[in-house]
Amino acid sequence: MQLSEETTKSLAENQQEHLVQFWDELDEQEQSRLQKQIAEIDFALLKKLITKRDQAATEESGADKAKKATSPEQLVRLPQDEDQIEERKKAAQVGNALLASGKVGAILVAGGQGSRLGFDNPKGMYPIGPVSQRTLFEILAEQVLARSQRAGVVIPYFIMTSEATHSSTEKFFEEHEYFGLGQENIFFFQQSSLPAIDDSSHQILLAEKGKVATSPDGHGGMLNALNKHGMLDVMRERGIEHLFYHQVDNPTAIVCDPVLLGLHQQYGSDLTTKVVAKATPEEKMGVLVSINAKTEIIEYSDLPGEEAHRKDEHGQYVFWAGNTAIHVFRREFMESLLEDELSLPFHIAHKKIPHVDSAGISIDPDQPNGNKFEQFIFDALLHAKVALVVEGDRQREFNPVKNASGSDSPETSKAALARIAKEWVTTAGGEVPKNIKVEISPLLALDENDMKEILPDGTVFQKDAVLKN
Ligand code: UTP
């Protein structure tokens, strides 16, 4: 087929003609796919990003920001005394009432490439149940269903995918009958992708002779994607005012946590974030801080070693509040962010990007050779009039699957699910002997209090078990 005039013109205008240098070697299908990919490139945005990359040195460094930072100001720490325990109980009541009012939706970001885990399917399809091998998707979706059933209303589930994960995610949910949530209550929407750029020029990289190298535009791409696919309209139609945001990699996140929702409501917050104490000052975790009375996140890569150890006048580490990527967004706040295309900045990552060179040879670089561009959802914090930070229990709530082995891996996450189940059984008066694993379906129990109501007195597990209804 012939390259369209429009494509030829736009490639020439943007000095990216090399993208079609192998055109004659491609079959019709490949040609058509390449032409479609090129048509989808937002060259104007790309130009701005490349300019930003070339000027990066003029930006304030993370180290300078860190010097001005204090521990978050608008903060609710874990309860230390009876009064604070009572306050959390009240917050939970407020949160449960908010859920029952039908004004809460849940949003799952599942568009990442999961490169560290190195799993062939979308990360949500990873079998994480320590006994049943149930997947991350199943555990999270069952939590949404359990909360819906208790609240007596539908909690719509918005699931962000990307080019890499969209079709397999949709198919997986369909095959599992939407985990009981009802197809009409699940909204899949695909985030955009951006081309990768050669790091020493302005050229877009080709992944193959007929394929542009692209990657999803970061979890912050959620805002534009929600807008582009009409999801904000769906929320308005359904009366959704707040969105419980979580990531696909943490099966122990308390999805639609009534405490977090309640505090968010009580403080009139635009954006509420759950944090947990970092394990060590050097731990590689973004931290919530206040800078000039604004809540922000400093990424671990931007926190110099000596700053990481800084303590405040009470002898507390300043950079203790690790980001769990669990948030509650006010819908109207999200809408306000869309008024400016660049309200969330693009971050420039320097990565190893496999590509074909100008001679058509496939290169798998051993050094970073290109740039990817991503928006981060937590940059929304800077725009919030009220940003609330709430401390959660790390052991209970933050056990993500990031790496193939070692820390934050399937092994640690599975162990955490088994440990939490054992704690609930023990609190409920039962016993899980050493070397026995128990797994609890969210549909049966969402916490230890549920367990107390259902576990027969004196239950001792003799073999591995999955507790479900
Ligand atoms: P991570 O930052 O851990 O990235 O994503 P990842 O893609 O899962 O894994 P690596 O870095 O390649 O190993 C945190 C969460 O944000 C989602 C992921 O699916 C995960 O739930 N995410 C990330 C998106 O939805 N889109 C993106 O573009 C990036």
Side-chain angles (χ1 to χ4, degrees), residues 109-117 123 160 191 216-219 245 247-249 374 402:
V109 288
Q113 293 173 308
S115 41
R116 284 169 288 176
L117 181 61
K123 203 189 263 189
M160 182 165 86
Q191 69 179 116
D217 58 358
H219 37 58
Y245 169 104
Q247 302 194 151
V248 77
D249 51 26
E374 283 191 336
K402 296 279 187 195

Side-chain angles (χ1 to χ4, degrees), residues 296-352:
E296 285 191 41
I297 284 188
I298 296 189
E299 288 176 78
Y300 66 81
S301 50
D302 283 344
L303 189 61
E306 69 278 13
E307 276 296 317
H309 287 265
R310 180 153 65 86
K311 290 185 174 170
D312 64 17
E313 65 276 20
H314 309 294
Q316 302 277 346
Y317 285 117
V318 171
F319 302 99
W320 66 270
N323 176 29
T324 62
I326 295 169
H327 307 284
V328 182
F329 285 86
R330 179 186 297 283
R331 192 203 70 230
E332 285 175 353
F333 169 61
M334 291 203 297
E335 287 165 343
S336 72
L337 292 170
L338 284 161
E339 285 159 21
D340 174 3
E341 180 197 32
L342 293 179
S343 63
L344 299 187
F346 278 87
H347 296 257
I348 303 164
H350 198 206
K351 299 253 171 163
K352 293 182 229 167

Side-chain angles (χ1 to χ4, degrees), residues 77-196:
R77 292 216 67 160
L78 278 173
Q80 304 294 337
D81 56 33
E82 279 307 314
D83 287 350
Q84 291 174 355
I85 291 173
E86 267 318 297
E87 277 166 27
R88 285 233 167 181
K89 282 191 188 147
K90 274 196 205 118
Q93 282 167 6
V94 173
N96 278 322
L98 192 62
L99 284 164
S101 71
K103 292 179 184 165
V104 178
I107 186 157
L108 173 67
V109 288
Q113 293 173 308
S115 41
R116 284 169 288 176
L117 181 61
F119 178 55
D120 281 342
N121 289 310
K123 203 189 263 189
M125 287 164 62
Y126 195 92
I128 202 70
V131 183
S132 72
Q133 306 296 321
R134 79 182 61 203
T135 59
L136 285 159
F137 277 142
E138 183 168 354
I139 293 179
L140 298 171
E142 282 195 353
Q143 284 205 57
V144 176
L145 181 57
R147 291 271 170 220
S148 289
Q149 288 170 345
R150 276 153 207 236
V153 291
V154 165
I155 299 175
Y157 205 15
F158 299 88
I159 299 180
M160 182 165 86
T161 59
S162 61
E163 205 181 338
T165 64
H166 190 80
S167 49
S168 15
T169 301
E170 265 196 335
K171 191 158 160 263
F172 190 72
F173 271 78
E174 190 188 340
E175 279 166 6
H176 290 84
E177 293 170 10
Y178 302 92
F179 299 107
L181 285 164
Q183 185 179 1
E184 66 287 8
N185 300 317
I186 301 196
F187 300 88
F188 298 98
F189 65 104
Q190 191 176 320
Q191 69 179 116
S192 301
S193 290
L194 284 170

Side-chain angles (χ1 to χ4, degrees), residues 246-274:
H246 61 124
Q247 302 194 151
V248 77
D249 51 26
N250 181 11
T252 62
I254 303 175
V255 179
C256 294
D257 177 9
V259 173
L260 196 69
L261 286 163
L263 289 166
H264 171 82
Q265 171 85 343
Q266 286 173 322
Y267 280 75
S269 175
D270 288 326
L271 173 48
T272 301
T273 301
K274 176 84 63 91

Side-chain angles (χ1 to χ4, degrees), residues 41 56 209 375:
I41 297 176
K209 287 183 175 175
Q375 288 179 308

